[in-house]
Amino acid sequence: MSASLTDFTAALPKAELHVHIEGTLEPELMFALAKRNQIDIPFKSVDEVRTAYRFTQLQDFLDIYYEGAKVLQREEDFRDLAMAYFDRAAADTVRHAEIFFDPQTHTARGIPFDVVMKGFLSAMEEAERTHGLTTKLILCFLRHLDEDDAFKTLRMSAPWQDRIVGVGLDSSEMGHPPRKFAKVFAAATEMGFKRVAHAGEEGPPEYVREALDILKVHRLDHGNRALEDADLTARLAREAMTLTVCPLSNLKLCVVQTREDHPLPLMLAQGLRATINSDDPAYFGGYINDNYAALAGRLDRDDFAAIARNSFLGSFLTDAEVSAHLKVLDAYLER
Ligand code: HPA
Ligand code: ZN
């Protein structure tokens, strides 16, 4: 890959639309928080943690990811976690980030919803102050749990409603189709939340259809397997549905076997509004610029510029905010 192309993508103004904040927990911070909070973790060293990160499917990763999240106990832990990500994202010229968080991972351990929120909000304010990085929060329901549990979580979010832009759906996809969460997504819609869902990462095209038709999502997280269905692919293109694609995650979780097989070039060729994102960067071997770089051999400058443009177009910013970002992007491209 050419150095100049990766330099070009590294400095490209961009938005990140698919990152799980609990998935930005680096092993070093995991150990520091374990010590600060006197929590036992099943690893002896940072190296041992990194060697454990060999996955053959989504569930292998999720088991370790939920284990790691146990070190998060106090408001300052959530703030430190988010701030470390914001510093890292700003260094990758991310101008706007919409981050997922999994409240049930914390409330199930007795951590109050308020503690989680206060920690994140404090980091979000600091990110804007210190980096000019704007951020939004998306509350994800864990799909391996039942819909009643999701409803409980939605009720907990009510006092914080104006600080959360939308709801999402993550965790184990297979066997937990979007339709399982039809009622809670409808209730979230009534409350004014935007909607996104992971679909078509491991799950079949039918799950993508359910995310569109039943959950009425504004964005699709991953969406890779939609490509198996030509009608569905054409519909996604026609509806200008944003896909939040995560190349290094796809490789680590064996959704895609090699970089050469990654479907992103095909998605662009089919007219899909694809974006590039990091998913769980501490676990998958790279932040957003590493994800752009992973496809440098397969895409050119115009492709990457289109992807960065898509990232702002697919965001939950206002039209005026999107236009302002696109102007900055255009100025960068003219240079
Ligand atoms: N897929 C599904 N659920 C998740 C992921 C993912 O990549 N990361 C964190 N929760
Ligand atoms: Zn994800």
Side-chain angles (χ1 to χ4, degrees):
M1 85 184 71
S2 89
S4 67
L5 185 56
T6 47
D7 290 348
F8 168 79
T9 58
L12 199 53
K14 55 182 79 73
E16 175 142 69
L17 305 179
H18 186 155
V19 57
H20 302 261
I21 197 66
E22 293 89 351
T24 69
L25 178 61
E26 290 288 345
E28 290 78 5
L29 184 59
M30 193 191 290
F31 272 88
L33 295 183
K35 195 166 168 208
R36 184 153 103 187
N37 296 324
Q38 297 175 342
I39 304 281
D40 278 332
I41 50 174
F43 306 108
K44 284 195 207 65
S45 67
V46 166
D47 281 347
E48 199 177 304
V49 180
R50 291 199 200 277
T51 19
Y53 293 175
R54 287 211 198 97
F55 316 116
T56 58
Q57 55 177 335
L58 176 59
Q59 195 61 48
D60 299 342
F61 152 71
L62 290 171
D63 293 342
I64 291 192
Y65 164 84
Y66 295 129
E67 196 60 42
K70 291 181 184 165
V71 301
L72 299 163
Q73 297 277 326
R74 293 181 299 172
E75 184 181 322
E76 67 194 85
D77 304 337
F78 292 95
R79 188 198 57 216
D80 290 352
L81 172 72
M83 204 57 224
Y85 164 71
F86 295 143
D87 289 341
R88 192 64 189 70
D92 279 5
T93 63
V94 172
R95 305 288 193 226
H96 176 69
E98 300 188 352
I99 64 173
F100 297 136
F101 73 116
D102 288 343
Q104 288 152 298
T105 298
H106 312 301
T107 54
R109 299 179 288 119
I111 313 292
F113 193 95
D114 293 14
V115 165
V116 178
M117 284 301 296
K118 285 181 190 161
F120 290 152
L121 290 172
S122 147
M124 290 163 73
E125 281 155 25
E126 193 176 333
E128 185 149 6
R129 207 167 50 240
T130 58
H131 298 301
L133 170 66
T134 57
T135 61
K136 292 186 188 291
L137 278 174
I138 297 174
L139 180 166
C140 281
F141 302 119
L142 298 181
R143 68 204 302 160
H144 66 275
L145 301 177
D146 63 26
E147 194 179 36
D148 275 352
D149 210 279
F151 261 110
K152 270 187 217 140
T153 307
L154 184 66
R155 283 194 289 273
M156 283 182 216
S157 77
W160 299 97
Q161 213 182 312
D162 58 341
R163 313 306 300 272
I164 299 171
V165 71
V167 296
L169 189 61
D170 65 4
S171 187
S172 322
E173 187 178 6
M174 294 306 279
H176 303 286
R179 66 174 179 277
K180 181 177 162 186
F181 297 91
K183 292 195 195 75
V184 77
F185 267 64
T189 305
E190 286 288 304
M191 290 170 73
F193 287 118
K194 305 272 196 219
R195 299 166 300 278
V196 301
H198 284 54
E201 180 184 20
E202 288 187 340
E206 187 52 30
Y207 285 21
V208 173
R209 287 187 194 281
E210 288 184 14
L212 298 174
D213 295 330
I214 300 177
L215 306 187
K216 305 202 185 306
V217 294
H218 298 88
R219 279 199 310 250
L220 259 183
D221 297 316
H222 298 293
N224 299 39
R225 289 195 58 194
L227 293 175
E228 294 169 20
D229 181 326
D231 290 342
L232 179 59
T233 304
R235 174 182 173 189
L236 293 172
R238 200 166 56 241
E239 295 179 2
M241 178 59 58
T242 299
L243 267 56
T244 62
V245 183
C246 305
L248 291 176
S249 164
N250 292 160
L251 289 164
K252 267 288 200 183
L253 299 182
C254 305
V255 166
V256 167
Q257 300 314 312
T258 71
R259 285 173 193 219
E260 286 62 46
D261 300 322
H262 198 279
L264 213 143
L266 188 61
M267 289 171 169
L268 293 182
Q270 307 257 24
L272 297 176
R273 188 186 270 183
T275 61
I276 291 182
N277 308 271
S278 68
D279 209 1
D280 300 282
Y283 293 86
F284 299 152
Y287 285 78
I288 193 166
N289 282 355
D290 303 310
N291 278 273
Y292 273 73
L295 294 173
R298 312 225 11 247
L299 299 171
D300 63 17
R301 275 183 188 237
D302 289 347
D303 296 327
F304 284 120
I307 287 165
R309 184 174 304 276
N310 291 345
S311 73
F312 294 115
L313 290 172
S315 74
F316 293 135
L317 292 167
T318 64
D319 290 348
E321 289 165 335
V322 171
S323 299
H325 282 292
L326 294 183
K327 263 195 194 149
V328 174
L329 175 61
D330 286 336
Y332 176 80
L333 297 174
E334 273 163 33
R335 257 186 271 136

